[in-house]
Structure formats: C-alpha cells, structure tokens
Amino acid sequence: MRLSRIPWRELKFALWLPFYLLAFVLIEHLPQASYWPTQLPLDNAIPFCEWFVLFYCAWYPLLVAVGLYLLLRDAPAFRCYMAFLAVTFFASVLIWLLLPNGQDLRPQVFPRENFPTALVAALYRIDTNTNVFPSVHVVGSVGAALAMWDSPRLRAHPLLRWGVPVLAVLICVSTLFIKQHTILDVVSALALSLLVAIPIYFIPWDRTKKLP
C-alpha cells in the first residue's frame, strides 16, 4: 500500500495508546502492600487449562488487526473503536488506582510441562496478578467485537461476522482458565463495556459526524 493512501489524519485518534501503555507499566510497578482479592469460591471450581493461553494471546493480534483494517477502510468505525478502547482502558487504570486489587489463583506448580504452560509461566512473569478488576482483556475483546459489528465492511463477511465475536468470547473465557482473572474481573469488565458502549454505539449518530 502506498504511503499516500494511509489516512494519517485518523491516527490522531490513536494518540492515547502510548499514554495508556505508560500508565499501565507505571501502575504495574507501583509497590502494593495489600490489595483487595477479587476471587470468589466459584473461581476455585474452574480448572486450570493451559491451552486457553493460545486464545488469551490472540487478543493482541485481534485488537491490532481490527484497528488497522478500520483505519484503512472505515474511518468513522475506527474513531468509535479508538474512543471505546481509550475510555474503557483509562477507566480501568483509574479503578486500579482507587481500588488496588489482585487475585490469588495462580497455581504454584503446573500440573504438567508443555509449550502452553511455558507460555503461561512467561505471561505470569511479565504481567503481575494485580490490577485485574476490571479485565482489560475482556473490555478489549468486547471492543473488537463491537467495532466489527459497527463496520458494514467487516459485517458483510460471514466469517468475520461470527468469527470475531466467537474469538472474543473465547478470549474472555481464557482469562479464567489460565487463572489470569476472576469471575468478578470478567463481570466488571462486561459492565464497564456496556456502560461505555451505550453512548458510542447504541445512541443514533450521523455516521459522517461521529467523534469529529
């Protein structure tokens, strides 16, 4: 693709991303003497299954792929997608600051050794067990699914129309099976997603004037 065909002006709607990444890194390294444990007794009934880490890791290319496609093919949908992610991600950071939280579900010893468990172990080293309520993995997955349905171009493809929501659900479920999040983390993320999605996606807008 020629550089002249890239909608550079639309990239201003993604300028929030480096600030969020910086905020995430900083809050992850803040010392926490104590935190609110978000696990429920029901979380202990969910078995650890390392294979779900493959869906968990699919979150990153999913969000990037949806963003790049919308940037190049559907500018109004791209703006809404960026607005949804920015509001939910920064709202999550604010909640983490005001209500320090974490979960204590990670297994001390994996039931077996294979590639997925090695991947989970690497994930545990990179990402702490704190700042989990709400789960940005869940709000990001919901955002990708909403953006796909919001874009007529993406929605026109049957594989994407159903594949992206199914993948989003699997990513959300994966956070529970690899013990990265709790049920409360997922539920709170769904509630936050709905709260933010209402003004962005469910209130009628002039498509050409969305988020000018």
Side-chain angles (χ1 to χ4, degrees):
M1 173 174 288
R2 296 178 181 176
L3 292 178
S4 60
R5 298 185 61 183
I6 298 177
W8 297 105
R9 293 182 61 183
E10 297 299 324
L11 288 176
K12 65 178 179 289
F13 295 101
L15 290 178
W16 60 270
L17 184 56
F19 295 99
Y20 165 75
L21 294 175
L22 178 61
F24 178 82
V25 171
L26 289 176
I27 196 172
E28 278 285 283
H29 288 84
L30 283 178
Q32 285 192 357
S34 63
Y35 56 76
W36 167 53
T38 64
Q39 66 265 16
L40 300 172
L42 185 58
D43 286 297
N44 295 318
I46 300 175
F48 173 82
C49 182
E50 70 273 18
W51 290 98
F52 275 92
V53 73
L54 302 179
F55 294 116
Y56 187 89
C57 291
W59 183 80
Y60 303 95
L62 172 64
L63 266 62
V64 172
V66 171
L68 287 177
Y69 183 92
L70 295 179
L71 173 65
L72 299 174
R73 300 295 184 89
D74 193 333
F78 175 76
R79 298 171 191 172
C80 291
Y81 181 50
M82 290 296 99
F84 178 88
L85 293 185
V87 174
T88 53
F89 282 17
F90 279 110
S92 299
V93 170
L94 181 60
I95 293 172
W96 300 338
L97 286 171
L98 297 177
L99 182 63
N101 57 78
Q103 53 88 4
D104 306 311
L105 295 171
R106 291 180 172 182
Q108 298 300 313
V109 179
F110 293 123
R112 54 207 150 260
E113 294 185 6
N114 50 32
F115 172 72
T117 55
L119 199 55
V120 174
L123 176 66
Y124 285 178
R125 289 192 295 270
I126 295 171
D127 197 1
T128 70
N129 65 321
T130 58
N131 307 315
V132 294
F133 175 97
S135 165
V136 291
H137 246 67
V138 172
V139 295
S141 300
V142 173
L146 287 172
M148 190 280 306
W149 278 94
D150 185 51
S151 172
R153 288 178 177 268
L154 282 175
R155 199 169 60 242
H157 298 278
L159 180 61
L160 296 177
R161 185 167 66 245
W162 299 110
V164 171
V166 168
L167 178 57
V169 171
L170 288 171
I171 292 172
C172 294
V173 172
S174 75
T175 66
L176 300 175
F177 280 100
I178 67 169
K179 302 302 179 179
Q180 187 69 4
H181 286 284
T182 70
I183 293 173
L184 276 181
D185 301 337
V186 172
V187 171
S188 63
L190 293 175
L192 175 61
S193 298
L194 177 60
L195 185 65
V196 175
I198 289 174
I200 294 178
Y201 288 113
F202 300 128
I203 293 179
W205 294 83
D206 181 343
R207 293 287 305 169
T208 62
K209 296 181 179 180
K210 277 186 176 181
L211 306 173

